Amino acid sequence: MAEILFSSWGGEVVDNRGKEPQDFETVGKVSLPEYFQQDEEIKALIGWYGIVLRSAEVNVVDLCRTYMEEVQQQSCGKCFLCRIGTRVIADTLGRLCRGQGRPADLELIAGLAESISESSKCNIGQSGPLPLLHALEHFADDFAAAAGGAAVPAGKYRSRLTAPCMDACPIHLDIPTYVECIKEGKFQESLEVIRERLPLPGVVGRVCVRPCEEHCRRANLDEAISIKFLKRFVADYELDHGREPEYQVVPSAKTGKVAIVGAGPAGVTCAYHLARKGHQVTIYERLGEPGGMSAVGIPDYRLPRQILRHEVEMIQKLGVTIHYNTEVGKDVKLSQLEADFDAVFVAIGAHLSSSMRVEGEDAGYQGFIPGVKYLLDINSGIDPYPEGKKVVVVGGGNVAIDCVRCSFRIGKEDVNLVYRRTEKEMPADDVEIHDAKEEKVNFHFLTQPIKVLAENGKVVGLECIKMQLGEPDESGRRRPEPVEGSEFVIDCDIVVPAIGQTIDLSLLEGVDNVKTTRWHTIVVNEDTKQTENPKIFSAGDCETGPGALITACAGGRKAAFNIDKFINDEPLVATENDYFDKFFSQVKVYDPQEEIGFIGGRPRYQLKMLPPDTRKYTFDEVEQGFSPQEAMAEADRCLRCYRVATIAVG
Amino acid sequence: MVKLTIDGKEVKVPAGTTILAAAKSAGISIPTLCFHGRLDPIGSCRMCVVEIEGCAHPMAACTTPVVEGISVTTNSERLQRIRKDSLKLILVNHPLDCPICDKGGECLLQDLVYEFGIDRVEYQTPKPERSSQYATPLIRYWPDRCIMCLRCVTACREIKGIGAIDIKGAGYGSQVVVIDEDKCQSCGECLQVCPTGALTENLSRYKGRPWLVKRVPTTCTYCGCGCQLELNVEQNRVMAVTTKEGKGVNRGSLCVKGRFGYEFINSEERLTKPLIKKDGEFREASWDDALSLVAEKFKSIKEESGPDAIAGLSSARCTNEENYLFQKFMRAVIGTNNVDHCARL
């Protein structure tokens, strides 16, 4: 990798200018990608955290001018210093670059930059002028030369606005804006911002794994903003007030017919975006209702079914047709869809339970019920095995937690969860684990099942062995190892394996050029979601493996944009946004170590919850939602961490 | 209660109090421009920035709630620089048309520029283009004078719950615009809270300087709410209606009638003396003559056709006391229950 000449990123100043390459110090605070896209080198970065210079060809004065112009364009105009001050700075830098500057200008913009960054209302103004101050300090000669009339060569730049939460969100929702709308009581506008990308705010506002909140800068002060519940709030507010969304349809030059396999989050999101571009969309769904894994896998106490149905119904108003109880591969062949439609989007999810590889699991014992089937039955209103009263669920993910919590709700008396690592390593949501504990699930950590015990073809127990944590494995988690001679038996009549899901790829038979991986996922181009068969696109769990709902939605959206391009005979290539997403994921927009420099002391508003003793026997929604006042007060905690990055390329 | 120190002075305030309010309770004044007592803190002007020990960044006192044990400084060289920069940036393109500005003399920006002794502005940038034509027949918007403090936008949304105006656009080009013309009721809440002369009323333009008018507190006569207002009187003419922040049941708000419907007071067409029709023409008469005539006629009607031939119609614009007397008069003197008033129509 080409060496860095100078970096002031994140407060770490590394200055290698004038040094021999062997004496170069390394930069620890930032990893600057070498290329933005193929054949386009990144020569410098200027952004919220400083300046990183790789090539001496870059003129820092022009770099600063371009960057400050972008900062000004992104200023919201809601505080004086940023709105007018960044304009003054950008203008002054423009004069410097045109050779019309004066030496006094340098002091003037330095003073102004300091005032703006010290006192602006949000992070655009706070972080915006910061790298200019670094530049004025470390590249004083370049600025003095420009002020003296030296020519300033113009470079080629690319700029982008981001925010830690926006960057972390797989579908890149404009979180600061929709939170700000809530703060100002503009709930409908807030929803419009969300629906620009995501058609399922009520669903995602309930069950999202919320990577945004993990990247919330407010957490550096006190606690992250309750982004997920704010999203839920605006969706509920609309529903409670009997309003319906007004979607804008802007037909593409050429519109076509698209078949979508699966009405899960990926399929529905894809359908929504295609329909908004005027395409005719037909969804084929194996089950009798929409939602895919989010309908059958997420119990009603977390995601009431009518919320999901309502949001999908709203999308049907755009002209999307859904054929329920129609399994592609059986009722209709994928090859037929390929022939009948202009493009096909495959989003079938991951509905098969993974095998535990323990003795007895394939013996067909009564009481041995795979996790997905267990939840599907319960969500359809059926007790999968009424005879059984003592349940052991195996696994540490959200499906496992859903299985245990549902068990109480269908009247099971003794509910156990077996997980081979410790609570710390559980992939399930911390909140879910906490709630399950409150409902008195017996957790058996560091425990691995080894044999399903049965009598007369019915489960009577699960033989387990105690584990201890050894060295870290490739996932970074410490590998559990069995403790010799620690075998024991948990008496039970139901065993529910919920250690993961795999994908049923049988529908691909008879279709050419759709490749799959050894993990049974479908291979696509990550930028376009297109398979090697140009007419077939895929995203969601069947492409990524079991993952987050919001990731599936993001995949569906990306696929929709590329299917639209495909129908319009446009080249399917990554966009500048895609490249910036990759760029930001390497540069890292959120720094958990950052010292914000403010006082905090305003913890997040907590949702009201049904008490554990009541909720554990009912499928009523546990979390009660914000009131408008609570939502507005919670939204007021947002620091609005927008920040701008400009890169010099060539 | 939360304990903190402001400028070395120990202050105890309830949790949730802002630093600005805490300072005020201790008699410490922090300059503000966008802050308005009836609105949630806006935080657009950054004049109220204060330093908090241990925090790298100054913070706006109006939006920051107190935290136990913090030590706040409300004045320092750094804070003065920021406050002055904020004002200077406003002045970059704020017209200095104070001599013909209706707000001249009671303009918060004028006061602050004076207080901070800003005699020159070294920054420059071309004027922003503001195409906004936010105006009603009663309210005039002067885009050049607008400092975009957002008081008007916030008041329209928070106090009136209307949200007819908002800020649109980005950066320097952002401006206050009407987002829904039909929503605006010309209530004038926006101009009541405007700290500068960016919003003025079309009726009273150039009619009198604020420091020359006498402000007469009174009660609005348009309906029974009893809103408190002040008639701005000069040479026995009403020039404008203003209110005092937080005063009366209306706490400073008025409706379109209360704020702008005052021209009748000095209207030349207004009757100030009773008229009696003689030979098909109205002629001025004395009150004694007029009242005697009315009494005579009532008497004769009552004698000829009975008291129920007479009905009385009163006005919602009268006070309760006047309406009480009116029905008493109808019942006890005329002898009829035929009494009603316009609010039922």
Side-chain angles (χ1 to χ4, degrees):
Chain A
M1 179 183 268
E3 300 290 347
I4 300 293
L5 282 180
F6 174 86
S7 174
S8 63
W9 201 258
E12 173 204 47
V13 177
V14 172
D15 196 346
N16 289 326
R17 289 173 296 173
K19 287 187 196 163
E20 294 299 322
Q22 67 269 21
D23 299 332
F24 273 18
E25 280 177 67
T26 52
V27 175
K29 269 281 184 183
V30 64
S31 157
L32 184 67
E34 207 162 342
Y35 287 91
F36 183 68
Q37 54 185 333
Q38 214 180 356
D39 301 331
E40 194 172 71
E41 270 180 67
I42 297 176
K43 294 177 167 181
L45 158 68
I46 181 167
W48 63 93
Y49 237 19
I51 293 184
V52 188
L53 194 69
R54 177 177 279 135
S55 161
E57 294 162 25
V58 175
N59 184 293
V60 173
V61 183
D62 195 50
L63 179 70
C64 287
R65 177 195 60 79
T66 309
Y67 168 73
M68 286 308 295
E69 188 61 52
E70 185 65 24
V71 170
Q72 156 64 205
Q73 295 304 319
Q74 299 297 351
S75 165
C76 71
K78 288 183 184 166
C79 76
F80 296 4
L81 283 131
C82 176
R83 181 179 79 240
I84 312 168
T86 54
R87 178 74 268 156
V88 170
I89 291 180
D91 276 1
T92 311
L93 288 168
R95 281 201 304 277
L96 280 173
C97 289
R98 290 195 304 273
Q100 298 161 354
R102 300 158 305 168
D105 285 341
L106 302 180
E107 202 181 322
L108 192 133
I109 54 173
L112 201 46
E114 205 168 343
S115 290
I116 299 168
S117 113
E118 279 175 340
S119 67
S120 283
K121 192 175 175 183
C122 81
N123 206 237
I124 282 272
Q126 289 155 9
S127 71
L130 201 79
L132 174 66
L133 289 168
H134 295 182
L136 287 165
E137 184 186 344
H138 297 286
F139 296 83
D141 293 348
D142 300 62
F143 281 92
V152 176
K156 189 184 169 202
Y157 308 98
R158 292 179 185 273
S159 298
R160 185 61 82 242
L161 179 78
T162 185
C165 49
M166 250 170 107
D167 176 62
C169 175
I171 203 165
H172 303 301
L173 287 181
D174 189 352
I175 295 163
T177 296
Y178 84 69
V179 170
E180 193 176 24
C181 285
I182 296 173
K183 171 182 146 188
E184 293 175 352
K186 298 189 280 195
F187 306 142
Q188 207 57 40
E189 284 91 330
S190 177
L191 263 180
E192 279 164 25
V193 173
I194 297 169
R195 290 206 177 108
E196 195 47 49
R197 286 168 177 265
L198 178 71
L200 305 168
V203 172
V204 175
R206 284 178 165 78
V207 297
C208 192
V209 293
R210 55 198 191 286
C212 54
E213 292 183 20
E214 277 165 33
H215 286 71
C216 176
R217 259 173 98 242
R218 179 93 214 180
N220 295 27
L221 279 184
D222 35 44
E223 283 182 280
I225 308 289
S226 201
I227 301 170
K228 179 176 90 166
F229 292 136
L230 287 176
K231 181 157 45 248
R232 167 181 166 175
F233 165 75
V234 282
D236 286 1
Y237 189 87
E238 181 187 66
L239 194 60
D240 293 348
H241 287 74
R243 294 188 192 139
E244 286 189 2
E246 286 169 22
Y247 301 118
Q248 299 278 323
V249 176
V250 185
S252 297
K254 218 165 135 188
T255 57
K257 280 164 59 187
V258 183
I260 293 179
V261 188
V268 165
T269 308
C270 184
Y272 167 75
H273 285 288
L274 284 170
R276 287 210 312 166
K277 288 179 181 290
H279 300 288
Q280 277 180 46
V281 183
T282 310
I283 304 182
Y284 295 88
E285 170 56 49
R286 178 172 64 98
L287 300 169
E289 66 175 304
M293 200 58 187
S294 57
V296 300
I298 305 177
D300 265 21
Y301 62 85
R302 283 214 289 141
L303 174 60
R305 203 59 49 83
Q306 75 271 18
I307 300 289
L308 183 60
R309 284 184 195 142
H310 172 79
E311 294 199 319
V312 175
E313 268 167 32
M314 290 299 109
I315 292 158
Q316 281 174 276
K317 294 211 159 163
L318 278 165
V320 173
T321 311
I322 306 182
H323 296 302
Y324 290 112
N325 301 308
T326 309
E327 187 170 352
V328 174
K330 285 203 185 116
D331 304 315
V332 52
K333 293 287 174 204
L334 187 59
S335 52
Q336 189 64 43
L337 297 182
E338 190 194 355
D340 293 348
F341 288 86
D342 296 311
V344 182
F345 178 58
V346 177
I348 51 171
H351 288 254
L352 296 180
S353 287
S354 301
S355 135
M356 296 194 291
R357 294 194 205 119
V358 303
E359 200 182 323
E361 70 174 322
D362 297 323
Y365 297 140
Q366 275 187 46
F368 184 87
I369 310 159
V372 177
K373 170 152 195 324
Y374 191 69
L375 288 177
L376 177 60
D377 280 356
I378 294 173
N379 285 339
S380 316
I382 304 164
D383 182 339
Y385 186 52
E387 219 177 285
K389 290 293 169 207
K390 295 176 79 179
V391 184
V392 177
V393 175
V394 182
N398 281 327
V399 171
I401 296 283
D402 287 339
C403 288
V404 286
R405 293 184 70 190
C406 274
S407 297
F408 282 128
R409 288 163 171 82
I410 53 167
K412 305 300 175 203
E413 287 149 12
D414 182 17
V415 179
N416 301 275
L417 184 138
V418 166
Y419 180 55
R420 63 195 185 120
R421 302 179 199 246
T422 70
E423 184 181 342
K424 217 174 87 203
E425 284 91 13
M426 275 180 88
D429 198 318
D430 289 343
V431 178
E432 290 285 309
I433 299 171
H434 170 264
D435 290 354
K437 278 185 165 171
E438 276 192 351
E439 290 170 14
K440 305 222 165 50
V441 170
N442 299 321
F443 282 87
H444 305 267
F445 295 113
L446 288 169
T447 304
Q448 169 123 313
I450 45 177
K451 188 176 178 186
V452 181
L453 306 176
E455 280 169 17
N456 306 324
K458 288 181 181 177
V459 170
V460 293
L462 184 68
E463 188 178 337
C464 301
I465 188 164
K466 283 276 173 204
M467 309 290 278
Q468 61 190 10
L469 290 181
E471 293 302 308
D473 61 12
E474 67 272 21
S475 73
R477 299 183 299 181
R478 289 171 66 193
R479 188 191 299 275
E481 291 157 359
V483 179
E484 294 266 334
S486 66
E487 291 85 352
F488 69 105
V489 172
I490 305 175
D491 290 335
C492 61
D493 33 34
I494 299 180
V495 170
V496 179
I499 55 162
Q501 293 103 255
T502 58
I503 299 133
D504 181 359
L505 291 171
S506 55
L507 88 164
L508 294 178
E509 269 171 42
V511 175
D512 294 332
N513 292 329
V514 178
K515 295 208 168 137
T516 57
T517 66
R518 62 189 171 101
W519 303 280
H520 295 283
T521 57
I522 296 172
V523 178
V524 296
N525 175 325
E526 61 164 331
D527 293 323
T528 65
K529 303 293 176 191
Q530 193 179 32
T531 63
E532 286 191 20
N533 178 332
K535 267 183 110 170
I536 299 183
F537 295 73
S538 179
D541 283 357
C542 64
E543 178 235 330
T544 58
L549 193 149
I550 189 74
T551 311
C553 293
R557 178 175 178 271
K558 188 168 266 187
F561 279 81
N562 285 289
I563 291 170
D564 176 64
K565 281 186 191 169
F566 176 71
I567 290 174
N568 280 279
D569 304 317
E570 290 169 24
L572 268 62
V573 287
T575 61
E576 186 174 327
N577 279 334
D578 295 330
Y579 288 118
F580 261 112
D581 289 343
K582 286 176 202 167
F583 173 81
F584 284 136
S585 69
Q586 185 169 336
V587 168
K588 299 214 180 336
V589 182
Y590 175 60
D591 176 5
Q593 309 301 324
E594 186 196 357
E595 300 237 349
I596 309 279
F598 293 154
I599 49 165
R602 289 173 73 187
R604 74 195 323 197
Y605 281 74
Q606 298 295 339
L607 283 196
K608 283 179 214 68
M609 312 243 299
L610 291 183
D613 289 343
T614 313
R615 71 185 188 221
K616 85 189 252 196
Y617 303 115
T618 148
F619 281 96
D620 289 349
E621 190 165 23
V622 171
E623 291 158 334
Q624 303 288 297
F626 281 135
S627 70
Q629 289 72 21
E630 286 167 337
M632 286 162 80
E634 176 62 20
D636 189 40
R637 298 176 60 241
C638 176
L639 298 174
R640 205 174 181 278
C641 309
Y642 279 128
R643 57 261 313 263
V644 172
T646 296
I647 51 173
V649 292
Chain B
M1 295 295 267
V2 176
K3 223 160 68 178
L4 70 157
T5 321
I6 305 179
D7 292 343
K9 200 166 165 182
E10 200 165 277
V11 186
K12 248 182 168 173
V13 287
T17 310
T18 63
I19 293 178
L20 185 65
K24 195 177 172 197
S25 75
I28 297 166
S29 153
I30 299 173
T32 57
L33 178 48
C34 65
F35 180 80
H36 188 279
R38 294 192 66 204
L39 305 173
D40 276 350
I42 303 166
S44 64
C45 74
R46 318 313 283 171
M47 290 299 291
C48 69
V49 281
V50 292
E51 288 182 291
I52 298 162
E53 208 173 84
C55 285
H57 282 286
M59 292 182 78
C62 67
T63 51
T64 310
V66 293
V67 170
E68 180 67 35
I70 55 169
S71 170
V72 178
T73 308
T74 68
N75 209 345
S76 69
E77 219 172 279
R78 182 196 200 190
L79 296 175
Q80 286 294 88
R81 168 174 51 75
I82 292 169
R83 289 168 186 162
K84 278 187 174 174
D85 268 343
S86 188
L87 290 172
K88 282 179 183 174
L89 287 169
I90 287 298
L91 291 182
V92 166
N93 282 312
H94 187 88
L96 298 178
D97 62 350
C98 311
I100 57 136
C101 178
D102 282 323
K103 202 74 175 185
E106 53 175 10
C107 168
L108 201 45
L109 178 65
Q110 206 178 32
D111 293 349
L112 285 165
V113 169
Y114 186 81
E115 183 187 330
F116 282 83
I118 294 167
D119 50 8
R120 58 183 283 270
V121 176
E122 55 272 45
Y123 308 129
Q124 48 177 299
T125 189
K127 256 190 193 173
E129 279 189 21
R130 287 183 176 161
S131 55
S132 171
Q133 294 300 317
Y134 167 53
T136 76
L138 301 171
I139 301 168
R140 173 159 179 182
Y141 178 53
W142 305 69
D144 285 357
R145 290 183 191 159
C146 178
I147 60 170
M148 302 240 299
C149 64
L150 304 184
R151 274 191 186 185
C152 53
V153 170
T154 315
C156 188
R157 191 178 61 227
E158 284 182 8
I159 298 180
K160 287 295 164 80
I162 294 174
I165 46 179
D166 204 352
I167 181 169
K168 281 274 143 69
Y172 195 51
S174 52
Q175 53 184 336
V176 175
V177 296
V178 187
I179 47 169
D180 193 342
E181 233 161 80
D182 295 339
K183 276 188 183 170
C184 175
Q185 302 166 354
S186 271
C187 67
E189 196 72 54
C190 50
L191 70 88
Q192 175 69 30
V193 296
C194 181
T196 70
L199 288 165
T200 60
E201 63 164 272
N202 257 344
L203 300 177
S204 68
R205 209 149 31 106
Y206 306 145
K207 280 198 269 183
R209 286 313 220 167
W211 59 87
L212 293 176
V213 298
K214 188 175 162 204
R215 289 192 166 146
V216 184
T218 185
T219 305
C220 178
T221 58
Y222 272 102
C223 77
C225 282
C227 293
Q228 296 301 298
L229 50 79
E230 291 176 322
L231 297 176
N232 291 215
V233 183
E234 196 193 349
Q235 291 174 356
N236 209 30
R237 287 186 72 82
V238 175
M239 321 295 300
V241 170
T242 52
T243 54
K244 272 216 165 70
E245 185 186 318
K247 198 164 176 218
V249 285
N250 50 319
R251 297 174 61 200
S253 293
L254 287 176
C255 71
V256 60
K257 291 196 274 183
R259 189 178 306 277
F260 297 109
Y262 58 83
E263 285 187 309
F264 72 91
I265 300 170
N266 295 107
S267 169
E268 283 176 10
E269 287 171 39
R270 182 179 163 191
L271 292 182
T272 51
K273 283 182 180 154
L275 302 176
I276 295 175
K277 206 176 210 174
K278 249 185 196 167
D279 306 328
E281 235 179 82
F282 279 115
R283 297 207 184 128
E284 277 189 9
S286 71
W287 282 106
D288 278 351
D289 288 349
L291 289 173
S292 300
L293 179 67
V294 171
E296 223 172 82
K297 297 251 174 182
F298 275 155
K299 241 187 218 165
S300 67
I301 293 169
K302 197 174 154 186
E303 271 163 22
E304 281 170 28
S305 315
D308 282 341
I310 301 171
L313 201 60
S314 176
S315 166
R317 290 177 56 186
C318 296
T319 61
N320 277 345
E321 291 81 353
E322 285 164 340
N323 274 321
Y324 175 80
L325 285 174
F326 184 75
Q327 64 82 30
K328 202 76 184 168
F329 169 78
M330 291 305 291
R331 290 192 170 109
V333 180
I334 304 284
T336 180
N337 284 324
N338 294 341
V339 194
D340 212 330
H341 81 70
C342 67
R344 281 179 24 106
L345 300 180

